[in-house]
Short mmCIF file of all heavy atoms in Angstrom, two decimals:
data_model
loop_
_atom_site.label_atom_id
_atom_site.label_comp_id
_atom_site.label_asym_id
_atom_site.label_seq_id
_atom_site.Cartn_x
_atom_site.Cartn_y
_atom_site.Cartn_z
N GLY A 311 3.04 63.62 -100.36
CA GLY A 311 3.52 62.29 -100.72
C GLY A 311 4.51 61.75 -99.72
O GLY A 311 4.46 60.56 -99.34
N GLU A 312 5.42 62.61 -99.26
CA GLU A 312 6.39 62.18 -98.26
C GLU A 312 5.70 61.80 -96.96
O GLU A 312 6.05 60.80 -96.31
CB GLU A 312 7.39 63.31 -98.00
CG GLU A 312 8.32 63.61 -99.17
CD GLU A 312 9.18 64.83 -98.94
OE1 GLU A 312 8.97 65.53 -97.92
OE2 GLU A 312 10.05 65.10 -99.78
N TRP A 313 4.72 62.61 -96.57
CA TRP A 313 3.99 62.34 -95.33
C TRP A 313 3.22 61.02 -95.41
O TRP A 313 3.23 60.22 -94.46
CB TRP A 313 3.04 63.50 -95.04
CG TRP A 313 2.10 63.26 -93.90
CD1 TRP A 313 2.38 63.32 -92.57
CD2 TRP A 313 0.71 62.90 -94.00
NE1 TRP A 313 1.25 63.04 -91.84
CE2 TRP A 313 0.22 62.78 -92.68
CE3 TRP A 313 -0.15 62.70 -95.07
CZ2 TRP A 313 -1.11 62.44 -92.41
CZ3 TRP A 313 -1.47 62.36 -94.81
CH2 TRP A 313 -1.94 62.24 -93.49
N LEU A 314 2.56 60.78 -96.54
CA LEU A 314 1.81 59.54 -96.71
C LEU A 314 2.72 58.32 -96.58
O LEU A 314 2.37 57.32 -95.95
CB LEU A 314 1.12 59.52 -98.07
CG LEU A 314 -0.10 60.44 -98.23
CD1 LEU A 314 -0.50 60.50 -99.69
CD2 LEU A 314 -1.26 59.93 -97.38
N ALA A 315 3.90 58.42 -97.17
CA ALA A 315 4.85 57.31 -97.11
C ALA A 315 5.37 57.09 -95.69
O ALA A 315 5.47 55.95 -95.22
CB ALA A 315 6.01 57.57 -98.07
N ASP A 316 5.68 58.18 -95.01
CA ASP A 316 6.23 58.08 -93.65
C ASP A 316 5.18 57.57 -92.66
O ASP A 316 5.52 56.82 -91.73
CB ASP A 316 6.77 59.43 -93.19
CG ASP A 316 8.03 59.84 -93.94
OD1 ASP A 316 8.63 58.97 -94.59
OD2 ASP A 316 8.39 61.03 -93.86
N ARG A 317 3.94 58.00 -92.82
CA ARG A 317 2.88 57.55 -91.90
C ARG A 317 2.37 56.16 -92.26
O ARG A 317 1.63 55.55 -91.49
CB ARG A 317 1.70 58.53 -91.94
CG ARG A 317 1.89 59.83 -91.19
CD ARG A 317 1.97 59.64 -89.67
NE ARG A 317 0.82 59.01 -89.09
CZ ARG A 317 -0.14 59.64 -88.39
NH1 ARG A 317 -0.05 60.95 -88.22
NH2 ARG A 317 -1.14 58.99 -87.86
N ASP A 318 2.77 55.66 -93.42
CA ASP A 318 2.35 54.34 -93.87
C ASP A 318 0.83 54.21 -93.86
O ASP A 318 0.26 53.22 -93.38
CB ASP A 318 2.98 53.25 -92.99
CG ASP A 318 2.89 51.86 -93.64
OD1 ASP A 318 2.82 51.79 -94.88
OD2 ASP A 318 2.89 50.86 -92.89
N ILE A 319 0.17 55.23 -94.38
CA ILE A 319 -1.29 55.24 -94.46
C ILE A 319 -1.74 54.45 -95.68
O ILE A 319 -1.22 54.66 -96.78
CB ILE A 319 -1.82 56.69 -94.53
CG1 ILE A 319 -1.50 57.42 -93.23
CG2 ILE A 319 -3.32 56.73 -94.81
CD1 ILE A 319 -1.79 58.90 -93.27
N HIS A 320 -2.70 53.55 -95.49
CA HIS A 320 -3.20 52.76 -96.61
C HIS A 320 -3.87 53.69 -97.61
O HIS A 320 -4.71 54.53 -97.24
CB HIS A 320 -4.19 51.71 -96.10
CG HIS A 320 -4.44 50.61 -97.10
ND1 HIS A 320 -5.20 50.80 -98.24
CD2 HIS A 320 -4.02 49.33 -97.14
CE1 HIS A 320 -5.24 49.68 -98.94
NE2 HIS A 320 -4.54 48.76 -98.29
N ARG A 321 -3.51 53.55 -98.86
CA ARG A 321 -4.01 54.46 -99.89
C ARG A 321 -5.52 54.50 -99.92
O ARG A 321 -6.13 55.57 -100.20
CB ARG A 321 -3.45 54.05 -101.27
CG ARG A 321 -3.94 54.92 -102.43
CD ARG A 321 -3.49 56.36 -102.28
NE ARG A 321 -4.02 57.20 -103.35
CZ ARG A 321 -5.19 57.82 -103.31
NH1 ARG A 321 -5.98 57.69 -102.24
NH2 ARG A 321 -5.59 58.57 -104.31
N GLU A 322 -6.19 53.40 -99.68
CA GLU A 322 -7.65 53.39 -99.78
C GLU A 322 -8.32 54.12 -98.62
O GLU A 322 -9.52 54.36 -98.65
CB GLU A 322 -8.16 51.94 -99.83
CG GLU A 322 -7.68 51.17 -101.05
CD GLU A 322 -7.96 51.91 -102.34
OE1 GLU A 322 -9.09 52.39 -102.52
OE2 GLU A 322 -7.05 52.03 -103.18
N ASP A 323 -7.55 54.48 -97.60
CA ASP A 323 -8.13 55.16 -96.44
C ASP A 323 -8.14 56.67 -96.58
O ASP A 323 -8.66 57.37 -95.70
CB ASP A 323 -7.35 54.78 -95.17
CG ASP A 323 -7.57 53.34 -94.77
OD1 ASP A 323 -8.63 52.79 -95.14
OD2 ASP A 323 -6.70 52.76 -94.10
#
Side-chain angles (χ1 to χ4, degrees):
E312 292 173 353
W313 172 77
L314 287 169
D316 290 345
R317 283 292 302 256
D318 196 26
I319 295 171
H320 197 287
R321 178 63 183 88
E322 297 308 313
D323 291 335

